[in-house]
Amino acid sequence: MKSGPITVACIQMAPRFGDTDANVARSLDLIGQAADDGASLVVLPELTNTGYVFETREEALALAETVPDGPTCRAWAKIAAERSLHIVAGMTEREGSSLYNSAVVIGPEGYIGTYRKMHLWDYENLYFEPGNKGLPVFETALGAIGVAICYDGWFPETYRLLALQGADIVCVPTNWVPIPGQVAGREAMANILAMAAAHTNSLFIACADRVGTERGQAFLGQSLIVSHTGWPAAGPASRTDEDIVSAEIDLGAARRARRWNSFNEVLRDRRTDVYGEMLGSDLPRRAY
């Protein structure tokens, strides 16, 4: 793990549905801007390369790519190598006849791994298979990176299981949509959930949302980076415009800060005698 602080950037962009070449090209431009500003870890939105609102499974299948040898992964790997970056980015993945809402993790040395969205939202259930890779934590030169995608963040188990496996930061490619009952002008519910999860697990969380309206569906923007304290380190970003939010963070601080006082350490204080079997007590755990 790299000692000292790193700069994390969340890229908020507006993909155009079905225009994969233009979407990837735009993502490369914005990744370059983030790198110019010192970022070493860059997070992109959910389904960055294709857009989100599919109308048929056949449409999704036609736009999907294989990982890691498809053109989107190759383009991201090339810029990661050129700019010494780690990138976490959402894309539409095809494996045989199966489709996944996925996020790839790429480093300066190339492809590291894939996370497949476990909790599918609404019509995603018609196009994608539920993720079958569990909740992996990727050991990188920067630190231990966990990944979640959009609706995964509504499940406390997502962040807790990643924390128990030693994640220092969870990167969240997302496409947040309006939540019924939200008062005008209030922050996105997703922002509140990310702040709560960061605090209760002593994790950094970096959420890269999209903006714009696609086939009638509006998206919320408000990308943000949350400190392990639960308070934003950067953002929320614009609700309507493309944006880059970045923060200098010390991933090691999350581990050191898990001891809150003389008596309490949030992960250690779990009552595993009561609920250990429910929440992953059999997972490999790092010493804190």
Side-chain angles (χ1 to χ4, degrees):
M1 176 178 178
K2 183 181 184 298
S3 60
I6 64 168
T7 297
V8 179
C10 288
I11 290 176
Q12 181 168 287
M13 57 179 284
R16 298 204 301 259
F17 184 83
D19 197 345
T20 302
D21 290 344
N23 294 334
V24 173
R26 180 60 177 154
S27 77
L28 295 176
D29 288 342
L30 293 169
I31 291 168
Q33 292 178 35
D36 288 343
D37 289 335
S40 52
L41 173 60
V42 176
V43 188
L44 291 164
E46 179 180 9
L47 303 183
T48 297
N49 64 331
T50 59
Y52 181 81
V53 186
F54 297 104
E55 293 181 343
T56 66
R57 180 178 170 87
E58 290 71 27
E59 188 176 56
L61 197 62
L63 291 169
E65 299 178 20
T66 56
V67 172
D69 56 343
T72 294
C73 273
R74 292 201 308 269
W76 287 335
K78 183 174 185 291
I79 196 169
E82 291 171 348
R83 303 304 300 269
S84 297
L85 295 171
H86 285 76
I87 297 171
V88 179
M91 63 172 292
T92 307
E93 180 193 4
R94 176 175 183 168
E95 184 180 64
S97 61
S98 297
L99 291 174
Y100 298 97
N101 183 336
S102 296
V104 292
V105 182
I106 294 168
E109 306 302 320
Y111 169 78
I112 295 172
T114 301
Y115 168 70
R116 292 170 173 167
K117 186 175 184 178
M118 294 216 308
H119 304 95
L120 300 178
W121 173 255
D122 201 10
Y123 285 93
E124 290 177 40
N125 287 278
L126 299 179
Y127 315 131
F128 297 114
E129 278 69 47
N132 58 3
K133 289 181 174 287
L135 287 162
V137 172
F138 302 97
E139 297 288 347
T140 76
L142 301 181
I145 297 175
V147 183
I149 299 176
C150 201
Y151 186 44
D152 289 327
W154 268 250
F155 296 84
E157 297 88 346
T158 299
Y159 293 108
R160 179 53 50 89
L161 293 175
L162 289 169
L164 286 173
Q165 294 176 90
D168 300 306
I169 184 169
V170 180
C171 297
V172 186
T174 189
N175 281 180
W176 292 327
V177 298
I179 298 296
Q182 181 168 337
V183 177
R186 281 218 57 167
E187 69 273 33
M189 176 64 73
N191 285 181
I192 298 169
L193 293 172
M195 291 165 64
H199 175 62
T200 56
N201 292 288
S202 195
L203 283 169
F204 289 97
I205 299 178
C207 303
D209 195 16
R210 64 160 292 170
V211 288
T213 299
E214 183 180 288
R215 290 179 163 176
Q217 175 64 65
F219 297 94
L220 294 180
Q222 301 177 68
S223 301
L224 82 167
I225 300 167
V226 188
S227 167
H228 60 87
T229 62
W231 301 112
S238 168
R239 296 167 186 255
T240 56
D241 300 330
E242 292 192 327
D243 203 351
I244 299 175
V245 294
S246 63
E248 186 176 82
I249 64 174
D250 182 353
L251 293 180
R255 291 189 211 165
R256 294 191 295 272
R258 282 179 177 149
R259 180 176 291 278
W260 288 352
N261 56 47
S262 299
F263 297 96
N264 298 113
E265 187 172 333
V266 64
L267 295 181
R268 186 200 63 196
D269 290 346
R270 295 170 70 243
R271 284 292 304 275
T272 55
D273 58 315
V274 177
Y275 48 69
E277 292 304 313
M278 288 192 296
L279 291 178
S281 61
D282 58 336
L283 291 169
R285 293 188 62 174
R286 193 180 272 172
Y288 296 104

